[in-house]
Amino acid sequence: MLMLIDAASLWYRAYYGLPSSIKSPGGARSGAVRGFFDGLSTLVRRFSPTELVCCLEGNWRPEWRTDLIGGYKAARAREDGSEDTPEGLDAQVAAIEALLPALGLATAVHPEFEADDVIATLAARTAEPVLVVTGDRDLFQLVDDERDRKVVYLARGISKAELFGGEAVATKFGVAPDHYVDFAVLRGDPSDGLPGVKGIGAKTAISLVNTYGGISGIRAAALEDGSELPARQRQAILDAADYLERALKVSTVAADVELPLIDSGLPAGPADAAAVEALTAEWGIASAMRRLGEALAWQDRVP
């Protein structure tokens, strides 16, 4: 089974889930580093993947998406266009990104795409069962029971991660996974800067999606003479036609990103033990590294 991890989701939850008083020997905040690798240990022990890739954010707000929806993720952007990250996180992310290859754990990234797109591409490449680990609801669109694609959802934290197959997605959101994007685009998603369709909330979005089979079907119904759609809803859909087309493209993950072949097998030991030792000492995470080594069954090769 291949586990694809949205690395940013994991380190953000580690950052906010652990107290700021956790510091490195040099006095820097280190909770995100410790929590990230403890989270990996928890995930490996719980789900026993045979392959694992940590997917990184090459471009958290790609230009091709902002060209379609100018406000895409705008609430999270600084004036210079960079992502507004919390105090002390950037240095910890750099440490995590240095430790992953030193440990021999695979990473994947593309400079023009988000981690979601990288995850979708790697999932599309394999016939093996896939577990996607994320706190991003957009990736529910990848859930597919026939192909054994599930999502481990981190909204409540790493220790309380929930496993979602198709039935669980439908129970939580009221729509099947292959229509999650239609639902989200209609309802709107403030965190991504998607305004939604005026006057259509979650309940109405669910009803429309399940009645007409997604936005293409809803738009077709709105264009029909004598449409059964209520006049207000029909007009709202017609008025939002341009938004709906653009937002669908923005919200649908790209599954054809050009990525090199990746050795996703779990390592038998660290790839660069000296680098792991140095970074472990710098960040004061010996216990987290020991737990990760135990989860990976490294035995006497624990850093």
Side-chain angles (χ1 to χ4, degrees), residues 170-211:
T171 298
K172 186 172 181 66
F173 298 103
V175 296
D178 57 344
H179 284 310
Y180 180 82
V181 172
D182 302 287
F183 161 72
V185 165
L186 285 166
R187 179 201 57 185
D189 188 341
S191 68
D192 280 348
L194 300 179
V197 176
K198 186 177 180 180
I200 293 183
K203 289 184 179 179
T204 302
I206 291 168
S207 176
L208 289 172
V209 166
N210 289 331
T211 300

Side-chain angles (χ1 to χ4, degrees), residues 7-297:
S9 283
L10 200 57
W11 64 55
Y12 265 102
R13 275 150 187 82
Y15 179 91
Y16 287 112
L18 292 172
S20 60
S21 58
I22 296 177
K23 301 286 181 69
S24 72
R29 286 187 64 163
S30 61
V33 185
R34 180 188 300 184
F36 180 91
F37 289 103
D38 274 338
L40 278 186
S41 302
T42 298
L43 291 165
V44 169
R45 285 195 304 268
R46 178 177 172 185
F47 297 106
S48 302
T50 55
E51 302 173 78
L52 185 150
V53 182
C54 288
C55 301
L56 307 176
E57 206 85 278
N59 189 335
W60 73 284
R61 194 171 178 245
E63 185 177 353
W64 65 272
R65 281 193 166 108
T66 58
D67 284 346
L68 289 165
I69 300 287
Y72 180 65
K73 292 187 177 180
R76 295 181 246 170
R78 297 189 179 110
E79 289 186 7
D80 64 0
S82 62
E83 186 175 10
D84 188 11
T85 53
E87 180 184 358
L89 181 58
D90 287 344
Q92 295 183 77
V93 169
I96 292 167
E97 292 184 343
L99 269 162
L100 286 169
L103 288 162
L105 292 168
T107 61
V109 65
H110 190 289
E112 296 176 12
F113 290 88
E114 299 177 57
D116 288 3
D117 304 309
V118 173
I119 288 170
T121 297
L122 293 177
R125 278 186 181 182
T126 183
E128 297 296 317
V130 172
L131 274 186
V132 174
V133 179
T134 185
D136 188 342
R137 291 173 303 196
D138 288 344
L139 286 176
F140 284 123
Q141 67 188 276
L142 296 181
V143 172
D144 185 335
D145 289 343
E146 287 188 10
R147 299 185 66 205
D148 201 358
R149 272 80 172 115
K150 294 182 173 64
V151 162
V152 178
Y153 190 43
L154 302 176
R156 298 174 60 213
I158 297 165
S159 64
K160 297 180 180 179
E162 301 174 84
L163 183 63
F164 278 80
E167 184 177 349
V169 173
T171 298
K172 186 172 181 66
F173 298 103
V175 296
D178 57 344
H179 284 310
Y180 180 82
V181 172
D182 302 287
F183 161 72
V185 165
L186 285 166
R187 179 201 57 185
D189 188 341
S191 68
D192 280 348
L194 300 179
V197 176
K198 186 177 180 180
I200 293 183
K203 289 184 179 179
T204 302
I206 291 168
S207 176
L208 289 172
V209 166
N210 289 331
T211 300
Y212 297 102
I215 285 173
S216 60
I218 294 166
R219 289 183 63 188
L223 289 167
E224 286 179 1
D225 291 333
S227 172
E228 295 181 359
L229 279 170
R232 182 184 59 79
Q233 292 178 13
R234 181 185 185 191
Q235 192 59 51
I237 295 297
L238 293 174
D239 290 345
D242 181 57
Y243 158 76
L244 289 171
E245 183 176 351
R246 289 182 289 111
L248 271 177
K249 292 177 181 176
V250 166
S251 300
T252 300
V253 289
D256 57 355
V257 177
E258 291 187 9
L259 296 171
L261 292 176
I262 294 167
D263 181 1
S264 55
L266 295 179
D272 186 341
V276 172
E277 184 177 356
L279 287 162
T280 296
E282 179 183 351
W283 289 92
I285 54 169
S287 296
M289 288 294 102
R290 184 177 64 253
R291 286 188 286 269
L292 179 61
E294 291 169 352
L296 292 169

